Amino acid sequence: MATSFTGSLGQNTNYSVIDDLIAKWATASQNQGIKLSGIAVDGAETDYLNPTTISNLTLATNQNPKSWLSYGSTGGIGVPSAYDGWFTDVNKVRAEINYDPNTNQSQALKVKWADNKDVTSATIDLSSLSVKTAPGTGDQGNEVGLLQIFNNGVLVPATNFTITRLNAPTTPKPLSVSSNGVTFTADRADGNFQFKVEANPLTGAAFDELRFSAKAYDSPTAAYTATAFKSDSSDYLVRSIQYQGNDVTPTPTPTPTPTPTPTPASVFQFEQGSYTVNEGGVATINVTRTGGTAAASINYATVDGSANASGTSPDYTLAAGALNFAAGQTIASFTVTSLNDLLLESPETVNLVLSGGNVGSNPSILTINDVAPTPTPTPTPTPTPGQNTFFFSAAAYSVNEGSTAPITINRAGDLSIGATISFTTGNGTALGGGTAPDYTRVNQAVTFAPGQASAQVPVQTLFDGRIEPTETVNLFISGGSLASPSTAVLSILDSTVAPPTFFSYGSSPGSIADGAAGTFTINRTGDISGSASIDFLIAAPGGRQPVNNVDYNIINPSGSVTPNGGTVNFNPGQSSVVLTMNNPLGPRRGVVNLGFGAGPIGGQASTAITLL
């Protein structure tokens, strides 16, 4: 006979200490026979009840090294390593459930009751599901989430349940209920979102698993939509789940026939955590499987890291397909072809991904090492009548930006006859085209008159007024017998004098209400053509004043923030950085004074913000 049960995970308010979060989620899940886990975008699943995982639990998302394994946040519980590498800033490690708009993938938080527990009702409280901010300095659209409902491992249509919104504003965003799940869209300024999933008496539906994931922004800004690589998207946290249901554990029936041991499933993973290949080479990537021995297959694909598979100068050829394992086969491989682009550059990376099966915890990265276009030494041939050998007068030339470089080509052999050789330039770090070229391309024939042993070809460099490092142009000769050096490099020396740079505080909210947030600005003037950074300092005026990361927090786009301050980085051409100060409900009030560390300071050197 079925017996009813009730239970809860989490709490309806934010957490202030880590022991409270552990008690309300990890310990409560263990006591109630619930499996709690997080799934990364590559399919790797983390067991949140594992003692090692629990020991790494922390509310401080910028604390190293624990932050990389943390799944705790003051707002609720999410997924560890939440940005999962697709953000440009690798220090942004948080606990939200994140959606990656560049790959259309999402992390997931999975709450799984025992198979004999039929849950018929669940009240769900979410936090940090934020609406689009104006003028777009925070979230670039309304955050969107997805709840999927499972029973015995099978997705159950959400239309089999009654879905009720509990804390809707005056004009709520509608809940979308379909066979795939419940889609919910942020519509409250405080980021809180509550709704109830209840079995419809007409369907008799029940469930034993809830899976939370994120979807693309709703109503994104035009600037966000036009951005090629998006470093922001929907994210949120689960704060609490209150549930009830029936225990339907069947009475065991004795049977003399033993249950056959199930065939273990195959687990696929990369043989190595990293591979390398020289530019222009082919890398062989091995994938292994353990567990099952029957015939099986797994999908593989390459995903751009710092290397690109498209554009005018691709770094490698995209690879994707399926690896088929015959019965008993434990290893299979695929290849990735790297391309030689004749550019001098740093090593570049390609992400290797497995999907469509049971994937292990060994992701992998392919590093493409640059191969510089070095000249091949050619021995000077013995002159023969009527034959010429051509070579540059030097392997390296230099010229100031905006000047003409005379490039000398020599010839040896029979100088009594006329001769012709081809001269061309190629991009190094300097560009010969585009909207801001560094030099004028040359592709011409160089003619030698009888008796002439050398000739000069002018290469015109262009002045662009930017402050930049020395740039290079590759020089080539072809179409004849060559001697060393048959290639050369022209260095363009920058001649622009940089004006000084100064930092100052700009706009400030003056005060921030309890439970609200405000922004303040740090400006730089003078030379803004290059990268720059400045430390800001946090100083309380004395007494029991607010403490950063305790009573409030500053969201800094350049790195971590300590109780005493942090660092702001400026990209080339960037004249200001806007920081956000959050004032959560409840903590201490007071004045926060902001100043600067050592550096060129001009204008307003400090500012003060009152927390109400």
Side-chain angles (χ1 to χ4, degrees):
M1 180 177 179
T3 58
S4 63
F5 64 86
T6 62
S8 67
L9 298 173
Q11 64 188 36
N12 292 331
T13 57
N14 290 352
Y15 296 91
S16 58
V17 294
I18 191 62
D19 290 342
D20 199 19
L21 182 74
I22 293 174
K24 297 295 177 64
W25 278 102
T27 304
S29 296
Q30 290 174 326
N31 294 339
Q32 298 172 48
I34 295 173
K35 180 180 179 182
L36 188 67
S37 57
I39 304 173
V41 294
D42 61 1
E45 185 169 341
T46 300
D47 180 4
Y48 284 172
L49 306 187
N50 182 285
T52 300
T53 306
I54 294 176
S55 70
N56 284 288
L57 185 60
T58 173
L59 290 181
T61 59
N62 61 353
Q63 175 188 343
N64 286 315
K66 291 186 177 182
S67 62
W68 188 249
L69 299 175
S70 171
Y71 58 91
S73 175
T74 55
I77 191 164
V79 177
S81 308
Y83 286 89
D84 218 54
W86 60 268
F87 269 63
T88 55
D89 186 345
V90 296
N91 293 318
K92 286 187 176 179
V93 180
R94 298 182 183 174
E96 297 114 337
I97 301 163
N98 271 259
Y99 175 81
D100 185 346
N102 301 293
T103 63
N104 295 321
Q105 295 172 297
S106 177
Q107 300 159 325
L109 176 68
K110 184 168 74 173
V111 182
K112 175 69 171 67
W113 286 264
D115 291 340
N116 59 348
K117 301 289 187 181
D118 279 353
V119 183
T120 57
S121 174
T123 300
I124 298 162
D125 184 3
L126 310 176
S127 65
S128 298
L129 187 74
S130 302
V131 296
K132 178 169 62 178
T133 60
T137 57
D139 290 298
Q140 302 295 294
N142 300 318
E143 294 178 333
V144 180
L146 173 67
L147 171 65
Q148 293 180 300
I149 305 171
F150 293 81
N151 195 18
N152 296 322
V154 177
L155 180 66
V156 180
T159 51
N160 290 355
F161 299 86
T162 300
I163 313 297
T164 307
R165 181 68 187 277
L166 301 180
N167 69 334
T170 303
T171 307
K173 296 286 186 181
L175 292 169
S176 174
V177 180
S178 68
S179 60
N180 189 50
V182 182
T183 298
F184 43 89
T185 304
D187 56 11
R188 290 174 57 98
D190 60 7
N192 298 330
F193 197 101
Q194 298 175 5
F195 63 100
K196 186 175 184 179
V197 179
E198 193 169 22
N200 190 327
L202 297 178
T203 65
F207 58 89
D208 61 10
E209 178 182 334
L210 296 177
R211 191 173 299 185
F212 297 87
S213 60
K215 300 179 75 172
Y217 271 150
D218 170 68
S219 303
T221 64
Y224 176 88
T225 302
T227 302
F229 178 86
K230 298 175 173 59
S231 59
D232 183 48
S233 192
S234 296
D235 55 67
Y236 64 96
L237 297 121
V238 181
R239 191 151 56 186
S240 70
I241 301 175
Q242 312 291 326
Y243 64 89
Q244 62 184 32
N246 298 305
D247 189 331
V248 293
T249 303
T251 302
T253 301
T255 175
T257 304
T259 302
T261 302
T263 303
S266 295
V267 178
F268 301 90
Q269 64 182 21
F270 291 103
E271 185 179 48
Q272 300 173 204
S274 62
Y275 295 85
T276 60
V277 65
N278 287 334
E279 192 176 54
V282 178
T284 299
I285 310 300
N286 292 329
V287 177
T288 65
R289 73 156 172 173
T290 56
T293 59
S297 65
I298 190 71
N299 297 326
Y300 68 88
T302 55
V303 178
D304 286 355
S306 57
N308 295 308
S310 60
T312 56
S313 297
D315 303 297
Y316 72 101
T317 301
L318 190 72
L323 291 178
N324 296 313
F325 288 73
Q329 182 181 355
T330 60
I331 189 168
S333 62
F334 64 93
T335 59
V336 180
T337 301
S338 64
L339 305 175
N340 194 322
D341 54 15
L342 297 178
L343 300 176
L344 299 175
E345 53 195 355
S346 302
E348 298 171 305
T349 59
V350 180
N351 298 311
L352 307 175
V353 178
L354 297 177
S355 64
N358 193 4
V359 178
S361 59
N362 186 15
S364 191
I365 293 176
L366 171 62
T367 300
I368 301 175
N369 293 322
D370 187 54
V371 177
T374 55
T376 302
T378 303
T380 303
T382 302
T384 57
Q387 181 176 345
N388 284 176
T389 302
F390 301 88
F391 53 94
F392 286 107
S393 63
Y397 301 88
S398 64
V399 66
N400 288 330
E401 185 182 56
S403 300
T404 300
I407 307 301
T408 300
I409 302 173
N410 295 333
R411 70 162 174 162
D414 185 0
L415 303 184
S416 64
I417 61 174
T420 301
I421 193 73
S422 294
F423 170 80
T424 58
T425 58
N427 289 347
T429 55
L431 301 177
T435 57
D438 301 297
Y439 72 99
T440 300
R441 292 191 181 102
V442 180
N443 183 359
Q444 70 175 66
V446 181
T447 301
F448 292 76
Q452 183 179 357
S454 64
Q456 286 189 339
V457 182
V459 177
Q460 179 64 50
T461 65
L462 306 174
F463 183 81
D464 55 18
R466 296 191 300 269
I467 300 170
E468 53 197 355
T470 299
E471 299 172 304
T472 59
V473 180
N474 297 316
L475 309 177
F476 306 93
I477 52 176
S478 60
S481 178
L482 306 179
S484 180
S486 59
T487 64
V489 175
L490 170 62
S491 296
I492 302 175
L493 308 178
D494 188 54
S495 57
T496 305
V497 178
T501 299
F502 296 98
F503 299 93
S504 62
Y505 281 96
S507 62
S508 166
S511 63
I512 302 174
D514 197 20
T519 61
F520 61 94
T521 304
I522 296 177
N523 298 322
R524 71 163 171 167
T525 57
D527 174 26
I528 64 171
S529 61
S531 300
S533 64
I534 188 70
D535 291 338
F536 65 87
L537 303 181
I538 303 172
R544 295 178 58 80
Q545 295 301 316
V547 177
N548 187 33
N549 289 336
V550 176
D551 304 299
Y552 67 95
N553 60 81
I554 296 175
I555 300 175
N556 176 20
S558 300
S560 62
V561 180
T562 70
N564 299 320
T567 301
V568 172
N569 293 333
F570 289 79
N571 294 322
Q574 185 178 8
S575 62
S576 64
V577 172
V578 178
L579 306 182
T580 299
M581 180 178 290
N582 288 326
N583 182 14
L585 286 171
R588 185 180 300 127
R589 304 174 180 178
V591 177
V592 179
N593 290 311
L594 297 169
F596 286 116
I601 309 304
Q604 186 171 331
S606 64
T607 190
I609 300 174
T610 302
L611 304 181
L612 303 178

